[in-house]
Amino acid sequence: MNVLSKPADLEAAAPAGAFIQEVTSVQHYTDHLFKFRMTRPASFRFRSGEFVMIGLMIDGKPLYRAYSIASPSWDEELEFFSIKVPDGPLTQYLQKVQPGDAVLMKKKPTGTLVNDALVPGKRVYMFSTGTGLAPFASLIRDPDTYEKFDEVIVTHTCRQVEELRYGLDLVEATKNDPLIGELAAEKLKHFTSVTREDYPVKGRITDLIENGRLFEELGVPPLDPAIDRGMICGSMDMLRDTKAILEKAGLHEGANNKPAEFVVERAFVG
Ligand code: A2P
């Protein structure tokens, strides 16, 4: 396999119409989770919560996967939170990138997990599992989110405790951020649970909604379509099951062109 990740090599070989960006930092969390940051093209605009196609040149061809942008729209750099799959077509190579390496990015961001796709409300729930936290890492650092909602609740459920680290560090840094720290300290709540190890709150988010534990822990009333809004990002099964629960509670799915009470990630791939 010939994988190009040096800026000069990519400049020579990359397809037209893709940005070539330089990786600025990489942090590995577990054997299968890492974060990387990269430069942001001056002309690149996106809405917090959107995703973009990220890729590498592998054996002479560009290979892309959809990645939620984890940084907010005001950030100078772009951040991504990724899985590492040992034989994953892209992530087996992407996980090896180092600062100074280059990656490809397609020019057009898109996505359903944006504030504009929700009708106004009092409280927004951002339900995530695994790397499904990424779009919410963007949204909880965006002042618009706090302008729109009085309470912002991010739930993150993982199999193992160490997989929560990215989110725990992120929320702490967000609460201390000079731009949005004050808003986040007042309005942001982070709810974590783990399914396959001991942890203070054990269980899938779907079960914790249905048995009421989520609301007990947060000290809030059960879901109310008049004031509660939702965003969902996780595996296909998680999306399906969480969506069914929100619908049972009387919330309707919205889209960019038809805002409603909740939205589901439509392009999320592991
Ligand atoms: P579990 O350990 O009970 O399968 P995955 O890596 O498979 O996407 O899982 C990430 C987290 O999402 C795990 O904690 C997992 O719980 C949970 N999960 C998996 N499927 C669902 C589902 N259908 N609804 C809610 N949570 C789920």
Side-chain angles (χ1 to χ4, degrees):
M1 284 286 165
N2 176 28
V3 183
L4 299 181
S5 60
K6 297 295 165 216
D9 295 344
L10 273 180
E11 293 285 353
F19 291 119
I20 299 166
Q21 296 302 307
E22 189 168 319
V23 174
T24 55
S25 68
V26 182
Q27 187 174 350
H28 293 269
Y29 292 95
T30 70
D31 287 348
H32 52 271
L33 288 176
F34 75 113
K35 156 179 108 171
F36 63 98
R37 291 177 66 90
M38 64 188 210
T39 55
R40 174 176 174 173
S43 63
F44 181 71
R45 297 275 169 275
F46 69 100
R47 293 182 294 172
S48 296
E50 288 188 313
F51 67 87
V52 75
M53 305 303 287
I54 293 287
L56 290 170
M57 288 294 289
I58 299 171
D59 281 345
K61 287 193 215 114
L63 180 70
Y64 291 98
R65 288 289 180 269
Y67 271 89
S68 289
I69 302 168
S71 45
S73 55
W74 52 262
D75 200 330
E76 268 176 34
E77 290 188 336
L78 296 172
E79 178 175 314
F80 300 93
F81 181 42
S82 177
I83 49 164
K84 307 184 223 177
V85 183
D87 53 358
L90 180 66
T91 65
Q92 67 174 304
Y93 304 113
L94 195 60
Q95 65 178 280
K96 299 198 177 107
V97 293
Q98 306 275 352
D101 287 347
V103 298
L104 299 174
M105 183 174 88
K106 286 200 191 173
K107 293 199 167 166
K108 211 180 143 11
T110 184
T112 42
L113 300 181
V114 292
N115 282 322
D116 291 348
L118 293 177
V119 289
K122 175 173 182 291
R123 186 181 296 125
V124 64
Y125 286 91
M126 300 176 178
F127 298 107
S128 71
T129 54
T131 54
L133 180 62
F136 306 139
S138 174
L139 283 159
I140 64 169
R141 291 186 268 183
D142 190 326
D144 283 356
T145 305
Y146 299 102
E147 215 165 277
K148 187 154 180 171
F149 298 103
D150 295 339
E151 223 174 322
V152 177
I153 297 168
V154 181
T155 83
H156 192 205
T157 302
C158 294
R159 295 179 183 199
Q160 290 162 331
V161 178
E162 63 176 3
E163 296 170 317
L164 297 173
R165 176 50 49 201
Y166 172 77
L168 293 167
D169 290 351
L170 165 81
V171 168
E172 196 191 317
T174 301
K175 290 189 174 177
N176 290 310
D177 184 273
L179 179 71
I180 36 134
E182 219 170 299
L183 282 170
E186 186 196 331
K187 297 185 169 187
L188 176 62
K189 286 188 182 162
H190 186 204
F191 174 89
T192 52
S193 73
V194 167
T195 49
R196 301 196 189 188
E197 278 182 353
D198 279 343
Y199 193 68
V201 183
K202 261 198 101 167
R204 290 185 171 192
I205 192 62
T206 40
D207 294 334
L208 299 168
I209 299 172
E210 289 198 304
N211 66 24
R213 177 93 190 262
L214 173 69
F215 310 110
E216 261 168 49
E217 294 283 335
L218 293 167
V220 299
L223 292 174
D224 175 353
I227 57 172
D228 289 326
R229 305 292 169 252
M231 292 181 160
I232 316 173
C233 194
S235 65
M236 292 310 287
D237 287 354
M238 180 273 191
L239 297 180
R240 182 199 60 222
D241 293 352
T242 311
K243 173 181 150 107
I245 290 176
L246 296 194
E247 284 176 338
K248 204 165 105 192
L251 285 74
H252 304 93
E253 183 173 357
N256 276 291
N257 57 1
K258 191 174 168 287
E261 289 91 27
F262 77 91
V263 279
V264 176
E265 179 58 286
R266 283 287 161 219
F268 185 69
V269 275

